[in-house]
Amino acid sequence: MLSTKASSGSAKPPLVFVHGSYHAAWCWAEHFFEFFSSRGHDCYALSLRGQGASDMPPDTDAAVAGTIETHATDVASFCASLPAPPVLVGHSFGGLIAQRVAADIGATSPSLAGLALVASVPPTGNGPMVGRFLRRAPLASLKITYAFVAAAFKTNACLCRECFFSADLPESTLREHMASIAASCNVRLLDLKAMKKELPIRKPPSNLRVCVVGGEDDFVVDVEGLRETAAWGNTEAIVLQRTAHDIMLDTRWEGGARALEGWMETL
């Protein structure tokens, strides 16, 4: 597991960013590093096993990078190596991994200054959301499901936009992100069938402050999913208007960053 860093030289809590499927550390460095380091936070972004430039899993024949538990163990170990408890920020399936880190605090995980879940998969997994999308928009949902199973968004710009970005993201920027996505996933992050055995994620300690942020135009994690995650964290979901799944890269990324900034000021 590799990490990248932006230093601030401040005593504020560091931030540790965890990406989701088909992404890597680069997705946080694009905008969020400068935004939060300029506000006094050391920023670290991890590339999980088999993602980006990170090492492949120990089993060189593995088709999957790991389990929620193995990824969470890696993230927890990194957090424990820092000089101060960090705010852990997880996106999409990275949010599910971050939830597991938080649930294990006091057992196998270090303490955290806070937990921020950005367009995160809920603690029960993505199954209920997939069912809701199928009922609302069957054809569109099947198309998106195909895109994820076949990783078609590596080469199909329309599918990539529908999965991750807003309609007004410039085409040139979309193409740049497509290239990064294509280079990010050497193996699948998680086996979704095997993952069900690790769900639901246990609730975190009651004194852990949790922030849940998502977009109203997200076709991967819906508003009901955000509310489920918020209930798990004993908080209220922040729903950003006209915002798609990749909040940290999308056209209105600054709205997501400011939502996290406002919440961290309450820690």
Side-chain angles (χ1 to χ4, degrees):
M1 182 178 69
L2 295 180
S3 65
T4 59
K5 179 183 179 182
S7 298
S8 69
S10 167
K12 289 184 178 181
L15 303 180
V16 175
F17 296 99
V18 182
H19 64 85
S21 296
Y22 304 106
H23 290 63
W26 61 269
C27 69
W28 301 106
E30 182 82 11
H31 299 299
F32 275 34
F33 267 26
E34 181 179 357
F35 183 93
F36 286 106
S37 63
S38 69
R39 286 157 174 78
H41 298 273
D42 284 349
C43 297
Y44 303 85
L46 308 179
S47 289
L48 298 170
R49 299 185 190 195
Q51 316 298 301
S54 282
D55 293 337
M56 295 292 285
D59 181 356
T60 55
D61 294 327
V64 179
T67 64
I68 294 174
E69 181 181 8
T70 57
H71 288 306
T73 298
D74 290 343
V75 174
S77 177
F78 180 85
C79 291
S81 73
L82 299 177
V87 173
L88 183 60
V89 184
H91 175 253
S92 197
F93 274 108
L96 199 61
I97 292 164
Q99 291 170 36
R100 176 60 185 266
V101 174
D104 289 344
I105 288 174
T108 59
S109 289
S111 61
L112 298 174
L115 175 67
L117 301 171
V118 179
S120 175
V121 173
T124 56
N126 66 330
M129 292 189 301
V130 171
R132 288 194 294 268
F133 282 128
L134 278 170
R135 289 191 293 273
R136 290 172 187 158
L139 293 178
S141 183
L142 289 172
K143 183 169 62 172
I144 298 299
T145 299
Y146 162 75
F148 272 92
V149 171
F153 38 66
K154 293 181 182 181
T155 55
N156 187 314
C158 291
L159 282 178
C160 188
R161 186 182 295 278
E162 289 184 61
C163 288
F164 300 122
F165 303 109
S166 294
D168 59 351
L169 186 77
E171 184 73 14
S172 59
T173 305
L174 174 67
R175 295 286 178 176
E176 291 173 4
H177 294 336
M178 280 180 64
S180 297
I181 287 169
S184 292
C185 40
N186 300 309
V187 293
R188 285 183 290 127
L189 182 66
L190 294 164
D191 182 329
L192 299 188
K193 290 184 179 179
M195 180 188 74
K196 294 179 181 178
K197 298 178 181 178
E198 300 184 85
L199 301 175
I201 304 295
R202 299 186 308 277
K203 276 186 167 288
S206 59
N207 62 345
L208 178 67
R209 298 290 300 279
V210 179
C211 177
V212 175
V213 181
E216 68 172 359
D217 292 343
D218 190 337
F219 206 71
V220 178
V221 175
D222 61 7
V223 173
E224 290 95 327
L226 294 176
R227 290 172 179 156
E228 178 191 337
T229 304
W232 173 89
N234 194 30
T235 187
E236 296 290 332
I238 301 170
V239 182
L240 305 173
Q241 295 182 347
R242 299 177 60 215
T243 303
H245 187 62
D246 272 14
I247 289 175
M248 63 286 187
L249 292 169
D250 201 34
T251 315
R252 282 157 287 282
W253 67 266
E254 193 168 353
R258 291 196 180 281
L260 289 182
E261 179 190 24
W263 168 74
M264 285 192 292
E265 290 175 351
T266 70
L267 296 177

